[in-house]
Amino acid sequence: MNIRRSRPLVSLLAGFALALSACSGSGADSRAINDRGFPETLTLAAIPAENSTDLKASYDPVIALLERETGAKIDFVQASDYAGVVEGIIAGNVDMAFFGPFAYVVAGVNGAKMTPLGAVVQEPGGKPGYQSYGLARSDNAAIESLADFAGKKVCFVDPSSTSGFLYPTAGLIEQKVIASGAEADLSKGLTPIYAGGHDASALSIAAGDCDAGFAFDTMVDKTLVEKGDLAPGQLKTVWKSETIAGSVFAAADALGAETVAKLRTLFTEKVNADHLRGAGLCTGECRITDERAWGVVPAADSDYDGVRHVCEVTRSDKCAG
């Protein structure tokens, strides 16, 4: 199991930085405009919610649609962690990105100028949002609530994961397991282990590498069970967070207000399974991103004020980037 102990939020892998440099830049060629009014090349970045070697496949229908509608070449970059995408937006090397809610807020705190294009939903007419689960093995009678996480080895996803770190720390503070979300206070109350993905966190708990931990709802209830990686009932849910604002596609404001507005319309009207199937860009369920979403609906920056409030409550140093 690939498990990492605590590391700084803003650490970037050199390979990712080089990839972004190759995909984008400030030269005239990189910002050449095509006959539809879009840059000739647009960079879309994302990170996997699970340990995936083929994240791009879950974005292929979106990429195909964007290329068809904008006339631009879409360069897709798979980042190794949330910090890589945040830094890419800030540095001007990323035009669009798919963020978890926490990473979206942290990007703004660090000076990224961007606009939400839309948040993902799981079904037509659905509202964007999901929950974090506090988990333990079903046969572990010693853990029945968040209060029982005290002194235990606890798997988190990543220091900038909304459902895999930020909301869990708020719950642990409420149960007086930790005093705040600051790294020093976290380590006083338990042993934090960063698994690197929601799937890795859940599977580490199942394997006994962590006594307890966190992952988002559909990863535990659906994705890992359908893949055969978890047996139904193998893990028990001892805590559920409030509903968290949905993961969001965002565009760099540097693209210009007109271009961002056109992209927002494109995402909210055409980036969904029904349209993508009808356009011949996918078959079957046609789920997008590794969250296996149905599609994208309108979102506003204010939708993420709840995440900002949890940052204030936890006083997590991760909220400052």
Side-chain angles (χ1 to χ4, degrees):
M1 191 68 62
N2 180 22
I3 299 177
R4 304 189 307 278
R5 292 193 179 268
S6 178
R7 55 182 169 74
L9 171 64
V10 296
S11 64
L12 296 177
L13 294 183
F16 177 58
L18 289 173
L20 287 180
S21 297
C23 290
S24 183
S26 58
D29 289 344
S30 65
R31 294 291 89 179
I33 303 301
N34 65 25
D35 57 5
R36 301 187 198 181
F38 290 93
E40 290 189 349
T41 300
L42 289 167
T43 301
L44 171 63
I47 72 157
E50 54 183 306
N51 287 335
S52 171
T53 57
D54 192 19
L55 178 66
K56 181 177 177 294
S58 65
Y59 285 82
D60 279 345
V62 179
I63 292 169
L65 177 74
L66 288 172
E67 291 187 334
R68 177 182 293 184
E69 295 287 335
T70 68
K73 178 182 183 298
I74 305 299
D75 281 335
F76 181 80
V77 177
Q78 177 172 330
S80 58
D81 59 20
Y82 288 96
V85 180
V86 172
E87 288 295 318
I89 285 279
I90 293 169
N93 294 324
V94 171
D95 298 307
M96 298 174 289
F98 186 62
F99 285 110
F102 188 18
Y104 172 78
V105 168
V106 170
V109 169
N110 279 278
K113 305 299 182 184
M114 56 190 179
T115 297
L117 298 176
V120 296
V121 295
Q122 295 300 316
E123 57 188 23
K127 294 183 178 180
Y130 60 104
Q131 289 179 292
S132 171
Y133 282 178
L135 303 161
R137 286 174 57 111
S138 294
D139 59 4
N140 186 349
I143 298 179
E144 297 293 343
S145 70
L146 277 191
D148 298 327
F149 284 30
K152 303 295 195 301
K153 290 189 296 182
V154 177
C155 264
F156 297 91
V157 173
D158 181 277
S160 56
S161 170
T162 316
S163 56
F165 182 81
L166 183 63
Y167 276 73
T169 58
L172 291 166
I173 290 168
E174 183 179 346
Q175 293 299 314
K176 303 187 185 306
V177 175
I178 58 176
S180 79
E183 192 69 29
D185 285 336
L186 193 66
S187 296
K188 287 179 183 177
L190 46 79
T191 300
I193 296 174
Y194 296 115
H198 289 267
D199 60 336
S201 181
L203 294 175
S204 294
I205 301 163
D209 296 320
C210 292
D211 301 310
F214 301 93
F216 73 83
D217 48 13
T218 56
M219 180 62 71
V220 178
D221 292 338
K222 186 175 182 180
T223 304
L224 291 176
V225 173
E226 289 180 350
K227 291 171 66 176
D229 292 333
L230 272 184
Q234 188 173 355
L235 298 181
K236 60 185 176 183
T237 302
V238 300
W239 172 82
K240 294 181 180 181
S241 73
E242 63 184 78
T243 299
I244 305 167
S247 296
V248 60
F249 283 97
D253 289 349
L255 288 170
E258 183 178 353
T259 298
V260 171
K262 288 191 289 187
L263 287 170
R264 184 168 57 240
T265 298
L266 177 56
F267 269 82
T268 56
E269 293 184 359
K270 296 186 177 182
V271 178
N272 61 71
D274 294 344
H275 181 87
L276 293 169
R277 271 195 306 268
L281 299 175
C282 60
T283 58
E285 282 193 311
C286 194
R287 295 284 172 166
I288 61 169
T289 80
D290 61 344
E291 292 190 16
R292 294 182 53 77
W294 170 82
V296 176
V297 297
D301 181 76
S302 59
D303 295 340
Y304 299 87
D305 286 346
V307 179
R308 296 181 178 102
H309 175 68
V310 172
C311 274
E312 294 173 2
V313 170
T314 61
R315 304 193 306 278
S316 172
D317 44 13
K318 307 301 185 298
C319 290

